[in-house]
Every structure is written in structure tokens, then in C-alpha cells.
Amino acid sequence: MPADPLELRATPHRVRTAVRAAGLSDDALNRALDFAITTPPPIAWRRFLSGALALLGAGLLLAGVVCFVAYNWTRIGRFGKFALIELAIIAATLLAWRKLPRLSGQVALLAAAVLVGPLLAIYGQTYQTGADPYGLFLTWFALIIPWVIVSRFSALWVVAILLLDVSLLLFAGQVIGLNQARDMLWVPLVIAALHGVAVACWEWQSGRAQPWLDERWAMRLVAVLGFAALLVVGVTFVFVDEEAGAAGSVGVLALATAIGGTLRYYRSIRPDQFMVTLAVVMGMAWVTALVGRFIMELDLDALGFFVMAAFVIWEITLGVKWYRRHAS
Amino acid sequence: MRLKISDVLAFLKAEGLAPAGADDAVRAALAAETSDEMPWFMRVAIGVGAWLATAFLIGSFFAIAELEDYRAQTIVGVLLIGMAVAVRRQSSAEFLQQTAVAASLAGQALVIHGIGDLFDSVVGAGITGALLSIALVWLMPDRVHRFLSALIGSGSAVAAAVASEAPAALEIATLVLVACTAYVWRMGIRDRDAATAEMLEPVGYGLVIALFGVLLFDTMTSMDGFRWALGHLRQEMLGSATTIGITLAFMALVWKIIDEHGTSHRSRASFAALAGVAALGTGALSSPGIVAGAAALVLAFDRRDRVLLGLAVIFLLVFGSAYYYSLSLTLLEKSGVLVGSGLLLIAIRQRIAPSDAENVAP
């Protein structure tokens, strides 16, 4: 909620109110309405369409390459397979080298990074290394780190973190062989920790004179996934209790710490309403699960549902009131 | 992306139409508006909470044995809705306002279910839901509720259309949805009064999401993975008429944009833009979702709306993926189509991309 009314969205009603308050002429009102309501100027459209077409075109090209490789999988010899993918990676990298730091260069480097995965898959298939799939994703992640750094592209940073998440999940399932609840819960905890470190690093670099990345959507996405992982552990602990083991207790503590830390940092040090809302919503979700467990055990039938409804409404009310009081 | 009042004031000052000291007067006049503003993620959180509370309320009502009768459901539902509207319109207490939203939604569920049981008809339930939602958009002064009413009303109308098994019923319902979306987002915006604009803003988002939901459902009925569950609905689903309708709406939007730029409709750029939309519609005739996604992307930038832009990107990716996946072609042919499409888009991009000098200029 913008504290300064001038930061409000320029709707026709607000524009009329503003123009009247400033005592401006009818001509000024018409010009203001034209400016606020009409479509962006042609040069803005060209920039937007240029960016959109670049991203869509690159995506379609990549998908086409993947289909082509899939079709010819059995036909192409092993060296042909390597040559195809490596040529595509080299072409994308050369394009990136020419076009960086523009968007086309960043997209090209993203394409090159994505193609590293199929290259490793072909390597694993051709030489039958016997390596576990987690190794493919971990190696993929390691190989693209220099490009993630050079590209300064938020989307590529997110891809790298997701690769690490997948490798962790596969490692837990295939190497450690976790199959009990108390053991499996450690996996989302590690993922949450990883995401927490990623967000902390992002915040640290964003405070520099020339930040490496500055698109908050990427940091927020990583934070949402990290909190979701913690919430899974926290809610599991609520419903299975002792079966969750030490991981469950650690998860609840970690969730509380993450919520507290997020509120403190994003209210006082680096104001961010989205992050504050995220932390509050996660806390409310966990408390709702806790209350739900309690109500279930009382076996109140219709009354139990009614109590849950009232509790959720009370939470929403509290949240809205708190937001209105603190957002400005 | 979105324009703020400060941007408008800066523009007027640059045009010499506003004095330098106009800011304070404007600030004072708009001070009251800041209390109602809430970012989209807060509204999403409140909406999810409202749904959860509604689900629990519905559960509590249905757990009461006396409410198994359709007449009792309908009466209790109507009373709940009436009380909810009255409370929401009168009360300024936050708790009561949120309770009213949840109670209204629960009441609607009871009424729709009751009417459906009364006539033993999904069509009856659907029509009831659609009419209730239209009335409540007007009666219930709550943004989250209006958004949910748009969703519920659209969903009810679509359900009624599918259940009716009337020829082209779903196509007509979908095209009505497209027309409503076009009206809410693009028509008569300048002359709308404050109350109407406030009423329609959340409805616009609800309509877009509902439209994409219908198109997504349509896509799923034709996909192999879902055919076992939804394949029997395929003949009631959307055809080329929907794609043509959405394409025409898209062309109307582009026409309007060209108008506002003051460009002649006979110019090469205008012709290329309109022809491009027509070509997209022709190429994706069997997939209205792609045209709708592209139209939403253009509309989002036109209206400078980041939330709509995010929605459009997601849906375009989903429909695009589903379209290419469902093409009855070999992998080699698909790869050719994909690479060809990609190169075509990149070639168009090279043609229209502003030069470095144009990028530097304001």
C-alpha cells in the first residue's frame, strides 16, 4: 500500500480528483486522461514486442532442438549426438558473447545453459558411466555457474537453484534411500536452508553500489519455494507428531525462525511488503493446521467445522488489520 | 510499468499544464484513497483464506442433518446471502466484513446445490449460480468477493452450457465471456464513474482467469493423458468458432491501439499488425488458448497491468506447450514446426526491434 498518494495507480477517477484538486484546466484534464488511459507510445510497444518475441522465439527454437534430438536418438551415432548439442551450445554462447548485456544475450546464455543438461544425458547414456541421476543435475548445476555469474540474468539464477533442488531430491531418494517420514523430512529442510542462503546472498549483493541482480521477482520466487518446503515439514509435524522425529521439531523451529527473521529484516531493514506478507501467511497456515489438528481430536462434527471457519476468518481479519496498520 | 499519479503530474508539468507546486494539493485530495489500496498478493492471500473459511462453513452446514433437504438448503442459503450483503454494506468492522464474505460464499453454495437438487439439473444450478454472481457483483462491495463472483458466475455458466448438451452452447458461453472481458478491460474506461470502475476492476481479473480455465479444460479434453477421464466431453468442447471470435476480439484491440497511436489503418505497420493477428488465429485455429494468451499479453501491456501480464505469460506457456504436444505429427515434423515458428518470431523481432539510438531516447 503506497504511503504517498502520488504513488497510487492513475485510474480515471483519481486523475479527475487530482486535476480538480490542483485547480487545472479542462484541457489539462483531457491531456491527463489521455496520458493515463491510452495505450503506451509506439516506441514502448516496439520494445515490449521485441522482448516478448525474443523470449518466445528462443523458447520455440530450444523446444524444436529437443524434439529433433529425441526423434533422431536412435539414428544418430554417438559422435553425431555430441556434435549436435555441442554445436548448439557453442552457437548460443557465441550469440550471448556478442549480445550481452542485452536481453537477447541473456536469453542465448539461458538456452546454452539449458542445453548442457541434454549433453550430460547423452554422455551418461553413451558411456554408461553408471552414475546416479542426481549426479547429472549436480554436474549440470556446477557447469553453468560461470554463465549464471556472467549473464546477470535472474531467470538463469532461478534455473540453477532449481537444478540444485532436483539433485538434492534425487540424492535423497536414490543414494541415501530415505523411506521413513522422519528421514524424508530432512530433504525439504535442506532445500529450505539452501533457498534461505540464496535469498541472503541475493539481499547482500543487492545492497552493493552495482548489484549483480536486481529483479526482486526471482528472489521472491526462491523465498516462496523455501518457505513452502518449511511449511511441509511444519504441517507434517503437526499431524504425525512423534513420527516426524527430530526433523519435525527442527522444521518447526526453522519455520518460526524464518518467519521471525523475515519479518524483522523486511519490515525494518529492507522494506518489502510481499516478503512480510509471505512470512505472515506461512505462520497463519501453520497455526491453522495446528488448530485443525486440535479440533479434529475433539471430534465436534458440525461445530468443529464452524469453529475452524471462525478461526480462519479471525486470522484474515487480524492479517488485514495488521497490514493496514503497518504497511505505511 | 503501471502509471502512477506522480507520472501524470510529471507529464502535465512537462506540457506546461500544471504548476510545480501542484503535488501537495493532489496529495491531500487523494489521502483517503490510500487506505483502500492493497497489493495483489494480499488480495490473493485474503481470497484463499475466504475460500478456506467458506469450505469449513459449508462443511458445517452440510454436517447438520436437517440441511440435507434441498428446500432447507435454499432457504438457509438465501438468508445467509441476505444477511451477508447487509452486514458487509453496513459494517466497518474487519471481522464482520470477512465473515460476511465467507457467509455469502457458503450461502451461494447452499442455494446452487439446493436449486440443483430441486430441478435435478446441473443446468438449473449453473444458471442460478450465474445469476446470483451477477447480482452479487453489484450488491456486495468487496473486492475479493467480486473477484470470486466473476469466477463462480463464469464457471456456473460454463457448467450449464456443457450440461445442456445444446449445440455450440459452450462456444456461445465462451464468446460471451470474451465479450465481457473485452468490455470490462477496454471499453468506456474514460467515462466510467468511480463506483463502476471500482466494481469492475476485480471482476476483470476473475473473468480472465475463468476464460483461461475454460480454455485449459478444453485443451485437456483433447490430450491423450486426460482422454480416459474427459474424452467423453470432447464433442461439447470448443471449436474453430471460438478461435475466430477471440481472434476478432484481438484484432479489435489492435485496431483500437492503432487508433490511439494516431496511425492510419492503411499504413504498412497497421496492416502487418492486423495480418499478424489473423495469421496467428488461422495457424492456431484448433487451439483458441494460444490466441487468447497472446491477446491477454497484448492487453496486459496496453493496460500496463503487471498481474495480467504474469497471468498471460503463464497461460501462453501452458497453451503453447499443450498445442505443440497435441499436434498429430512425428517428432521430426514437430521439431521442424517448432524451429520454424521460433525462427519466424525471431525474424519478426529483428524487423521491429528499436535501434540502439531509439532505445536510448526517452
mmCIF file of all heavy atoms in Angstrom, chain B residues 60-89:
data_model
loop_
_atom_site.group_PDB
_atom_site.id
_atom_site.type_symbol
_atom_site.label_atom_id
_atom_site.label_comp_id
_atom_site.label_asym_id
_atom_site.label_seq_id
_atom_site.Cartn_x
_atom_site.Cartn_y
_atom_site.Cartn_z
ATOM 1 N N SER B 60 -19.755 -27.313 7.760
ATOM 2 C CA SER B 60 -20.559 -27.291 8.987
ATOM 3 C C SER B 60 -22.046 -27.360 8.655
ATOM 4 O O SER B 60 -22.817 -28.042 9.322
ATOM 5 C CB SER B 60 -20.247 -26.042 9.817
ATOM 6 O OG SER B 60 -20.719 -24.888 9.167
ATOM 7 N N PHE B 61 -22.454 -26.661 7.576
ATOM 8 C CA PHE B 61 -23.869 -26.691 7.220
ATOM 9 C C PHE B 61 -24.302 -28.080 6.750
ATOM 10 O O PHE B 61 -25.359 -28.584 7.128
ATOM 11 C CB PHE B 61 -24.189 -25.651 6.138
ATOM 12 C CG PHE B 61 -24.159 -24.242 6.647
ATOM 13 C CD1 PHE B 61 -23.429 -23.265 5.995
ATOM 14 C CD2 PHE B 61 -24.860 -23.897 7.799
ATOM 15 C CE1 PHE B 61 -23.394 -21.968 6.471
ATOM 16 C CE2 PHE B 61 -24.820 -22.602 8.281
ATOM 17 C CZ PHE B 61 -24.079 -21.634 7.619
ATOM 18 N N PHE B 62 -23.478 -28.676 5.911
ATOM 19 C CA PHE B 62 -23.865 -29.976 5.382
ATOM 20 C C PHE B 62 -23.785 -31.078 6.440
ATOM 21 O O PHE B 62 -24.389 -32.148 6.289
ATOM 22 C CB PHE B 62 -23.012 -30.342 4.157
ATOM 23 C CG PHE B 62 -23.489 -29.684 2.894
ATOM 24 C CD1 PHE B 62 -22.839 -28.582 2.375
ATOM 25 C CD2 PHE B 62 -24.618 -30.159 2.240
ATOM 26 C CE1 PHE B 62 -23.282 -27.956 1.218
ATOM 27 C CE2 PHE B 62 -25.066 -29.543 1.078
ATOM 28 C CZ PHE B 62 -24.393 -28.429 0.563
ATOM 29 N N ALA B 63 -23.023 -30.810 7.495
ATOM 30 C CA ALA B 63 -22.941 -31.795 8.571
ATOM 31 C C ALA B 63 -24.192 -31.778 9.449
ATOM 32 O O ALA B 63 -24.429 -32.690 10.232
ATOM 33 C CB ALA B 63 -21.697 -31.539 9.417
ATOM 34 N N ILE B 64 -24.959 -30.710 9.293
ATOM 35 C CA ILE B 64 -26.211 -30.630 10.045
ATOM 36 C C ILE B 64 -27.265 -31.435 9.285
ATOM 37 O O ILE B 64 -27.604 -31.106 8.148
ATOM 38 C CB ILE B 64 -26.680 -29.167 10.209
ATOM 39 C CG1 ILE B 64 -25.610 -28.367 10.964
ATOM 40 C CG2 ILE B 64 -28.009 -29.094 10.941
ATOM 41 C CD1 ILE B 64 -25.856 -26.878 10.987
ATOM 42 N N ALA B 65 -27.786 -32.460 9.910
ATOM 43 C CA ALA B 65 -28.659 -33.399 9.199
ATOM 44 C C ALA B 65 -29.881 -32.728 8.594
ATOM 45 O O ALA B 65 -30.339 -33.053 7.513
ATOM 46 C CB ALA B 65 -29.088 -34.528 10.139
ATOM 47 N N GLU B 66 -30.420 -31.702 9.305
ATOM 48 C CA GLU B 66 -31.653 -31.067 8.829
ATOM 49 C C GLU B 66 -31.460 -30.316 7.516
ATOM 50 O O GLU B 66 -32.431 -29.950 6.858
ATOM 51 C CB GLU B 66 -32.180 -30.089 9.881
ATOM 52 C CG GLU B 66 -32.794 -30.741 11.122
ATOM 53 C CD GLU B 66 -31.770 -31.367 12.044
ATOM 54 O OE1 GLU B 66 -30.569 -31.026 11.955
ATOM 55 O OE2 GLU B 66 -32.150 -32.240 12.850
ATOM 56 N N LEU B 67 -30.205 -30.080 7.165
ATOM 57 C CA LEU B 67 -29.958 -29.325 5.930
ATOM 58 C C LEU B 67 -29.751 -30.235 4.725
ATOM 59 O O LEU B 67 -29.262 -29.784 3.702
ATOM 60 C CB LEU B 67 -28.752 -28.406 6.101
ATOM 61 C CG LEU B 67 -29.053 -27.051 6.738
ATOM 62 C CD1 LEU B 67 -27.799 -26.191 6.807
ATOM 63 C CD2 LEU B 67 -30.126 -26.301 5.957
ATOM 64 N N GLU B 68 -30.071 -31.496 4.847
ATOM 65 C CA GLU B 68 -29.943 -32.371 3.691
ATOM 66 C C GLU B 68 -31.063 -32.120 2.687
ATOM 67 O O GLU B 68 -30.941 -32.427 1.514
ATOM 68 C CB GLU B 68 -29.980 -33.844 4.150
ATOM 69 C CG GLU B 68 -28.658 -34.262 4.793
ATOM 70 C CD GLU B 68 -28.724 -35.663 5.380
ATOM 71 O OE1 GLU B 68 -29.768 -36.318 5.234
ATOM 72 O OE2 GLU B 68 -27.735 -36.098 5.984
ATOM 73 N N ASP B 69 -32.166 -31.566 3.153
ATOM 74 C CA ASP B 69 -33.300 -31.288 2.276
ATOM 75 C C ASP B 69 -33.004 -30.066 1.415
ATOM 76 O O ASP B 69 -32.506 -29.051 1.902
ATOM 77 C CB ASP B 69 -34.544 -31.035 3.134
ATOM 78 C CG ASP B 69 -35.745 -30.699 2.281
ATOM 79 O OD1 ASP B 69 -36.101 -31.516 1.406
ATOM 80 O OD2 ASP B 69 -36.297 -29.596 2.470
ATOM 81 N N TYR B 70 -33.345 -30.123 0.119
ATOM 82 C CA TYR B 70 -32.977 -29.041 -0.799
ATOM 83 C C TYR B 70 -33.707 -27.749 -0.452
ATOM 84 O O TYR B 70 -33.204 -26.659 -0.661
ATOM 85 C CB TYR B 70 -33.242 -29.439 -2.256
ATOM 86 C CG TYR B 70 -34.701 -29.690 -2.608
ATOM 87 C CD1 TYR B 70 -35.551 -28.637 -2.927
ATOM 88 C CD2 TYR B 70 -35.231 -30.980 -2.621
ATOM 89 C CE1 TYR B 70 -36.877 -28.851 -3.251
ATOM 90 C CE2 TYR B 70 -36.555 -31.202 -2.943
ATOM 91 C CZ TYR B 70 -37.375 -30.149 -3.248
ATOM 92 O OH TYR B 70 -38.695 -30.373 -3.566
ATOM 93 N N ARG B 71 -34.903 -27.875 0.113
ATOM 94 C CA ARG B 71 -35.650 -26.649 0.450
ATOM 95 C C ARG B 71 -34.960 -25.925 1.610
ATOM 96 O O ARG B 71 -34.795 -24.707 1.582
ATOM 97 C CB ARG B 71 -37.096 -26.989 0.841
ATOM 98 C CG ARG B 71 -37.988 -27.243 -0.350
ATOM 99 C CD ARG B 71 -39.300 -27.866 0.067
ATOM 100 N NE ARG B 71 -39.076 -29.215 0.606
ATOM 101 C CZ ARG B 71 -39.895 -30.236 0.462
ATOM 102 N NH1 ARG B 71 -41.017 -30.097 -0.234
ATOM 103 N NH2 ARG B 71 -39.636 -31.414 0.991
ATOM 104 N N ALA B 72 -34.544 -26.707 2.604
ATOM 105 C CA ALA B 72 -33.849 -26.104 3.749
ATOM 106 C C ALA B 72 -32.554 -25.453 3.274
ATOM 107 O O ALA B 72 -32.217 -24.344 3.696
ATOM 108 C CB ALA B 72 -33.553 -27.175 4.789
ATOM 109 N N GLN B 73 -31.820 -26.118 2.386
ATOM 110 C CA GLN B 73 -30.567 -25.562 1.863
ATOM 111 C C GLN B 73 -30.820 -24.238 1.178
ATOM 112 O O GLN B 73 -30.106 -23.256 1.401
ATOM 113 C CB GLN B 73 -29.927 -26.540 0.865
ATOM 114 C CG GLN B 73 -29.292 -27.757 1.497
ATOM 115 C CD GLN B 73 -28.774 -28.730 0.472
ATOM 116 O OE1 GLN B 73 -28.694 -28.432 -0.712
ATOM 117 N NE2 GLN B 73 -28.420 -29.922 0.908
ATOM 118 N N THR B 74 -31.835 -24.204 0.317
ATOM 119 C CA THR B 74 -32.112 -22.994 -0.453
ATOM 120 C C THR B 74 -32.500 -21.854 0.478
ATOM 121 O O THR B 74 -31.999 -20.729 0.339
ATOM 122 C CB THR B 74 -33.239 -23.245 -1.470
ATOM 123 O OG1 THR B 74 -32.929 -24.413 -2.234
ATOM 124 C CG2 THR B 74 -33.386 -22.060 -2.419
ATOM 125 N N ILE B 75 -33.385 -22.150 1.443
ATOM 126 C CA ILE B 75 -33.853 -21.082 2.352
ATOM 127 C C ILE B 75 -32.687 -20.567 3.202
ATOM 128 O O ILE B 75 -32.470 -19.352 3.319
ATOM 129 C CB ILE B 75 -34.999 -21.598 3.246
ATOM 130 C CG1 ILE B 75 -36.237 -21.866 2.388
ATOM 131 C CG2 ILE B 75 -35.309 -20.605 4.354
ATOM 132 C CD1 ILE B 75 -37.331 -22.621 3.087
ATOM 133 N N VAL B 76 -31.933 -21.485 3.791
ATOM 134 C CA VAL B 76 -30.798 -21.069 4.632
ATOM 135 C C VAL B 76 -29.780 -20.301 3.785
ATOM 136 O O VAL B 76 -29.227 -19.281 4.218
ATOM 137 C CB VAL B 76 -30.138 -22.290 5.303
ATOM 138 C CG1 VAL B 76 -28.816 -21.917 5.955
ATOM 139 C CG2 VAL B 76 -31.079 -22.898 6.332
ATOM 140 N N GLY B 77 -29.572 -20.780 2.573
ATOM 141 C CA GLY B 77 -28.617 -20.112 1.686
ATOM 142 C C GLY B 77 -29.028 -18.679 1.362
ATOM 143 O O GLY B 77 -28.224 -17.753 1.445
ATOM 144 N N VAL B 78 -30.297 -18.502 1.015
ATOM 145 C CA VAL B 78 -30.795 -17.157 0.694
ATOM 146 C C VAL B 78 -30.682 -16.236 1.920
ATOM 147 O O VAL B 78 -30.264 -15.075 1.802
ATOM 148 C CB VAL B 78 -32.258 -17.224 0.196
ATOM 149 C CG1 VAL B 78 -32.864 -15.831 0.112
ATOM 150 C CG2 VAL B 78 -32.315 -17.881 -1.190
ATOM 151 N N LEU B 79 -31.045 -16.775 3.075
ATOM 152 C CA LEU B 79 -30.943 -15.963 4.303
ATOM 153 C C LEU B 79 -29.491 -15.568 4.579
ATOM 154 O O LEU B 79 -29.201 -14.420 4.935
ATOM 155 C CB LEU B 79 -31.498 -16.750 5.491
ATOM 156 C CG LEU B 79 -33.022 -16.865 5.553
ATOM 157 C CD1 LEU B 79 -33.443 -17.824 6.682
ATOM 158 C CD2 LEU B 79 -33.669 -15.496 5.786
ATOM 159 N N LEU B 80 -28.603 -16.534 4.408
ATOM 160 C CA LEU B 80 -27.173 -16.254 4.632
ATOM 161 C C LEU B 80 -26.688 -15.147 3.695
ATOM 162 O O LEU B 80 -25.998 -14.219 4.126
ATOM 163 C CB LEU B 80 -26.350 -17.522 4.361
ATOM 164 C CG LEU B 80 -25.964 -18.381 5.557
ATOM 165 C CD1 LEU B 80 -25.165 -19.586 5.077
ATOM 166 C CD2 LEU B 80 -25.159 -17.601 6.587
ATOM 167 N N ILE B 81 -27.053 -15.258 2.421
ATOM 168 C CA ILE B 81 -26.606 -14.261 1.446
ATOM 169 C C ILE B 81 -27.164 -12.891 1.808
ATOM 170 O O ILE B 81 -26.448 -11.883 1.812
ATOM 171 C CB ILE B 81 -27.035 -14.649 0.017
ATOM 172 C CG1 ILE B 81 -26.309 -15.927 -0.444
ATOM 173 C CG2 ILE B 81 -26.719 -13.520 -0.974
ATOM 174 C CD1 ILE B 81 -26.841 -16.493 -1.737
ATOM 175 N N GLY B 82 -28.450 -12.853 2.138
ATOM 176 C CA GLY B 82 -29.083 -11.585 2.501
ATOM 177 C C GLY B 82 -28.401 -10.931 3.695
ATOM 178 O O GLY B 82 -28.065 -9.742 3.674
ATOM 179 N N MET B 83 -28.160 -11.737 4.723
ATOM 180 C CA MET B 83 -27.505 -11.212 5.937
ATOM 181 C C MET B 83 -26.087 -10.760 5.612
ATOM 182 O O MET B 83 -25.636 -9.708 6.078
ATOM 183 C CB MET B 83 -27.460 -12.306 7.008
ATOM 184 C CG MET B 83 -28.709 -12.355 7.844
ATOM 185 S SD MET B 83 -28.853 -13.777 8.937
ATOM 186 C CE MET B 83 -27.237 -14.448 9.077
ATOM 187 N N ALA B 84 -25.412 -11.542 4.803
ATOM 188 C CA ALA B 84 -24.025 -11.217 4.467
ATOM 189 C C ALA B 84 -23.945 -9.890 3.725
ATOM 190 O O ALA B 84 -23.091 -9.043 4.023
ATOM 191 C CB ALA B 84 -23.419 -12.338 3.626
ATOM 192 N N VAL B 85 -24.831 -9.692 2.758
ATOM 193 C CA VAL B 85 -24.820 -8.439 1.993
ATOM 194 C C VAL B 85 -25.101 -7.262 2.933
ATOM 195 O O VAL B 85 -24.419 -6.233 2.887
ATOM 196 C CB VAL B 85 -25.859 -8.494 0.855
ATOM 197 C CG1 VAL B 85 -26.042 -7.119 0.223
ATOM 198 C CG2 VAL B 85 -25.414 -9.488 -0.219
ATOM 199 N N ALA B 86 -26.108 -7.431 3.798
ATOM 200 C CA ALA B 86 -26.468 -6.351 4.726
ATOM 201 C C ALA B 86 -25.294 -6.022 5.653
ATOM 202 O O ALA B 86 -24.952 -4.844 5.847
ATOM 203 C CB ALA B 86 -27.686 -6.757 5.541
ATOM 204 N N VAL B 87 -24.680 -7.049 6.203
ATOM 205 C CA VAL B 87 -23.560 -6.826 7.132
ATOM 206 C C VAL B 87 -22.398 -6.153 6.410
ATOM 207 O O VAL B 87 -21.809 -5.187 6.892
ATOM 208 C CB VAL B 87 -23.106 -8.157 7.766
ATOM 209 C CG1 VAL B 87 -21.762 -7.993 8.469
ATOM 210 C CG2 VAL B 87 -24.157 -8.658 8.752
ATOM 211 N N ARG B 88 -22.077 -6.651 5.233
ATOM 212 C CA ARG B 88 -20.907 -6.108 4.506
ATOM 213 C C ARG B 88 -21.114 -4.657 4.120
ATOM 214 O O ARG B 88 -20.191 -3.850 4.158
ATOM 215 C CB ARG B 88 -20.641 -6.963 3.261
ATOM 216 C CG ARG B 88 -19.391 -6.546 2.479
ATOM 217 C CD ARG B 88 -18.142 -6.689 3.315
ATOM 218 N NE ARG B 88 -16.951 -6.238 2.630
ATOM 219 C CZ ARG B 88 -16.538 -4.963 2.579
ATOM 220 N NH1 ARG B 88 -17.240 -4.015 3.169
ATOM 221 N NH2 ARG B 88 -15.436 -4.643 1.942
ATOM 222 N N ARG B 89 -22.359 -4.298 3.769
ATOM 223 C CA ARG B 89 -22.639 -2.920 3.337
ATOM 224 C C ARG B 89 -22.673 -1.959 4.510
ATOM 225 O O ARG B 89 -22.373 -0.783 4.366
ATOM 226 C CB ARG B 89 -23.955 -2.865 2.568
ATOM 227 C CG ARG B 89 -23.891 -3.500 1.196
ATOM 228 C CD ARG B 89 -25.265 -3.528 0.557
ATOM 229 N NE ARG B 89 -25.556 -2.255 -0.086
ATOM 230 C CZ ARG B 89 -25.274 -1.969 -1.351
ATOM 231 N NH1 ARG B 89 -24.711 -2.854 -2.122
ATOM 232 N NH2 ARG B 89 -25.567 -0.793 -1.854
#
